[in-house]
Amino acid sequence: MRNAPTILHLDMDAFYASVEQASKPSLRGKAVVVGGLGPRGVVATASYEARVFGVHSAMPMAQARRLAPNAAYLVPRFTLYRTISDQVMALLRQLSPLVEPLSLDEAFVDLEAGGAAQDQESARRAGEQLRADIRAVTGLTGSVGLAASKMLAKIASEQAKPDGLRLIEPGTERALLAPLPVRTLPGVGPATGDHLRRAGITTVQELAEAGEDELVRLLGKAHGQALYAMALARDERPVVAEREAKSVSVEDTYDVDIHDRLRVGLEVQRLADRCVRRLREAGLSGRTIVLKVRRYDFSTLTRSETLRGPTDDPVVIREAAARLLDSVDTTGGVRLLGVGVSGLADYTQEDLFAQSRPVPAAEEPEEGAVEAVVERAAPAGREWRAGQDVRHTEYGHGWVQGSGLGRVTVRFETPQSAPGRVRTFFVDDPALAGAEPLPLVTGPPNPPGGDPHGGAAPRTPEEAAGQGSSEPASLPKSRSGTLGGGATSRP
């Protein structure tokens, strides 16, 4: 492990909720919850004002509404979140070529590899400058952790929240870790944490005192050895700049089970088309088509079919998905559908029609999975969802506060305006239409000081993206990979 704290971990503060507050002046300082708004929806992100009431991510939305009935509940706007994420990732790539995005709002950076920092003081300066640049470019705040390893840098950023910076000085790592709960360490989830608790181990200090042999006996060789090393503040994992894309997929969870077989088929076709769009945005194609079906009883099935070569042809992928659906019984109802493509390549095999060959796939139940909040296609007809951007021919840009009984309530304001007025319209008012999100910050997006390390700051989002593309169409806290090589930092 290196000696200087030159591994940086950035975590944007309550990212989705902060974007919504920055976009909607009337919500600043208020409790905001972003996620699926139906009876089966889950919380994607809660603002710090909402967290005071006990609301947190992955919580059922119905429970969140009971805890914070007066909060603003909004649908996610992933297009805007991805745009802002691209701006943030571009700033990180100015610091170093070794940037490892973990999600839209989180990444590791090897500052030493880019010459941005060599010691404790230069690392702190780089971290403070990054926070200032993020605020200048996006109007948002991020928390920064600096340490000699990825594990410690992530712990430091958690302790810095919200809107702070924490640097773990060399030589203080063991003392910092000792009182922390074992769940703090990477690889200790609920099951492992409960297993360790039953063995009388609840803190990192107790984990270290248990010894490697005992941990191997409790958890197995690989897991036991890894956790013992981390309990001693040893983490040799490098920052990995690019990860090979393994799959691209989309899925939707439905508020009410779908029983109509025709509608299930239409939903699968729509998901296949969305999956193709993501493939093409990433410049990828794939040869294995995967269908995911979660039924009324929460059992989840996957089916796959492998083609003779990679494709991004929507007809081929739709037909393969339809064939896979034929092998699944949906008579009891369906609550989730997903379509994915794996076996990715950066070229396309022509003339794949009638050339697919099914590969039998056993049922793969998935237990305990939290349903992801996903971006759905625009609804048919005049359906308005809370948080959606709209434009009125007379009143200008606004967002939907709520709808029902044939009416929709809109607050007209922009990121740069004062809190706006609220007006109500009939849902089919021809003067009201959906709109694209407005930028949070107007004017040149480059930070006031430019690149503190000598490079020119990107002057447009397109130029910023050109300095290193972040993964297209990522979902929160999950990645389908990026294109490129496998550069890594030195442990």
Side-chain angles (χ1 to χ4, degrees):
M1 187 170 78
R2 68 188 71 202
N3 294 321
T6 54
I7 298 295
L8 181 149
H9 180 262
L10 170 71
D11 199 347
M12 299 295 289
D13 299 322
F15 184 49
Y16 299 169
S18 294
V19 170
E20 298 302 337
Q21 289 176 318
S23 179
K24 302 171 171 64
S26 59
L27 297 183
R28 293 170 189 169
K30 307 286 182 63
V32 174
V33 181
V34 179
L37 302 187
R40 289 177 176 165
V42 296
V43 175
T45 306
S47 70
Y48 286 97
E49 295 84 356
R51 296 180 191 187
V52 171
F53 298 98
V55 180
H56 57 78
S57 61
M59 171 182 285
M61 190 62 76
Q63 182 181 355
R65 289 184 185 275
R66 290 193 295 270
L67 292 172
N70 296 321
Y73 290 86
L74 309 174
V75 295
R77 297 186 295 163
F78 286 118
T79 299
L80 178 59
Y81 305 154
R82 291 183 191 117
T83 298
I84 296 170
S85 175
D86 287 345
Q87 294 174 328
V88 172
M89 296 302 166
L91 291 173
L92 298 183
R93 291 187 177 94
Q94 290 177 18
L95 293 173
S96 173
L98 294 184
V99 176
E100 182 179 343
L102 304 179
S103 64
L104 291 179
D105 61 339
E106 185 182 5
F108 287 110
V109 183
D110 187 330
L111 297 176
E112 186 178 11
Q118 298 78 33
D119 54 26
Q120 183 171 312
E121 289 307 313
S122 59
R124 186 184 295 277
R125 288 195 301 270
E128 293 290 7
Q129 184 64 58
L130 173 64
R131 293 177 60 236
D133 290 349
I134 289 173
R135 186 185 290 274
V137 172
T138 69
L140 304 176
T141 64
S143 295
V144 168
L146 293 158
S149 69
K150 290 169 69 173
M151 174 189 71
L152 292 167
K154 183 173 176 62
I155 290 173
S157 69
E158 286 295 323
Q159 295 183 344
K161 283 182 169 293
D163 190 20
L165 181 146
R166 173 74 192 276
L167 184 146
I168 299 178
E169 298 181 3
T172 66
E173 297 92 347
R174 291 285 301 275
L176 171 77
L177 288 175
L180 298 179
V182 293
R183 289 287 305 277
T184 305
L185 299 182
V188 183
T192 301
D194 189 57
H195 190 52
L196 291 171
R197 181 188 58 78
R198 291 196 299 270
I201 300 172
T202 59
T203 67
V204 177
Q205 177 65 33
E206 292 168 345
L207 199 65
E209 291 173 349
E212 184 175 21
D213 291 342
E214 176 65 8
L215 294 179
V216 167
R217 186 187 69 82
L218 289 171
L219 304 172
K221 183 175 181 180
H223 201 184
Q225 289 178 342
L227 284 186
Y228 181 68
M230 288 184 179
L232 300 180
R234 300 172 188 162
D235 179 16
E236 304 296 336
R237 295 173 301 159
V239 175
V240 181
E242 303 289 351
R243 291 190 259 185
E244 183 183 357
K246 297 184 181 298
S247 65
V248 173
S249 62
V250 296
E251 64 182 43
D252 274 351
T253 300
Y254 304 99
D255 296 338
V256 178
D257 289 349
I258 303 176
H259 295 270
D260 187 302
R261 182 74 177 187
L262 176 60
R263 175 156 177 225
V264 172
L266 292 174
E267 287 293 312
V268 168
Q269 299 298 291
R270 181 177 63 81
L271 290 166
D273 288 341
R274 283 174 54 197
C275 188
V276 168
R277 286 198 297 271
R278 291 190 174 185
L279 278 172
R280 291 182 171 180
E281 287 171 0
L284 295 169
S285 59
R287 61 192 302 265
T288 300
I289 316 303
V290 180
L291 175 71
K292 177 179 177 181
V293 180
R294 180 167 296 151
R295 298 186 293 191
Y296 69 98
D297 59 357
F298 286 85
S299 62
T300 302
L301 311 178
T302 60
R303 295 288 186 271
S304 64
E305 178 176 311
T306 299
L307 309 175
R308 294 184 181 177
T311 184
D312 64 355
D313 189 308
V315 174
V316 174
I317 294 175
R318 280 198 303 265
E319 290 182 350
R323 287 192 296 271
L324 293 170
L325 180 61
D326 288 340
S327 66
V328 178
D329 179 10
T330 63
T331 54
V334 170
R335 58 180 283 119
L336 177 146
L337 290 168
V339 174
V341 176
S342 60
L344 301 180
D346 56 2
Y347 67 95
T348 301
Q349 179 74 44
E350 302 296 337
D351 300 325
L352 288 173
F353 294 101
Q355 295 185 30
S356 62
R357 50 184 176 83
V359 174
E363 295 184 1
E364 299 177 8
E366 300 181 3
E367 298 181 358
V370 175
E371 294 173 5
V373 178
V374 297
E375 183 178 24
R376 295 193 179 187
R382 305 287 285 179
E383 181 181 345
W384 305 103
R385 299 183 296 164
Q388 177 184 350
D389 292 277
V390 296
R391 176 166 289 278
H392 191 276
T393 55
E394 179 180 354
Y395 302 113
H397 189 92
W399 58 278
V400 175
Q401 279 200 321
S403 64
L405 301 177
R407 289 175 172 79
V408 55
T409 301
V410 178
R411 184 180 289 272
F412 291 97
E413 59 187 6
T414 70
Q416 289 75 42
S417 74
R421 296 187 60 181
V422 175
R423 298 183 183 275
T424 300
F425 309 91
F426 290 109
V427 293
D428 57 354
D429 190 325
L432 192 65
E436 293 298 317
L438 297 177
L440 302 185
V441 176
T442 58
N446 54 305
D451 179 7
H453 308 290
R459 299 193 59 82
T460 67
E462 290 76 12
E463 291 174 5
Q467 296 201 6
S469 60
S470 63
E471 177 196 354
S474 296
L475 290 178
K477 303 295 180 186
S478 65
R479 290 181 53 77
S480 59
T482 55
L483 296 174
T488 63
S489 66
R490 298 185 304 278

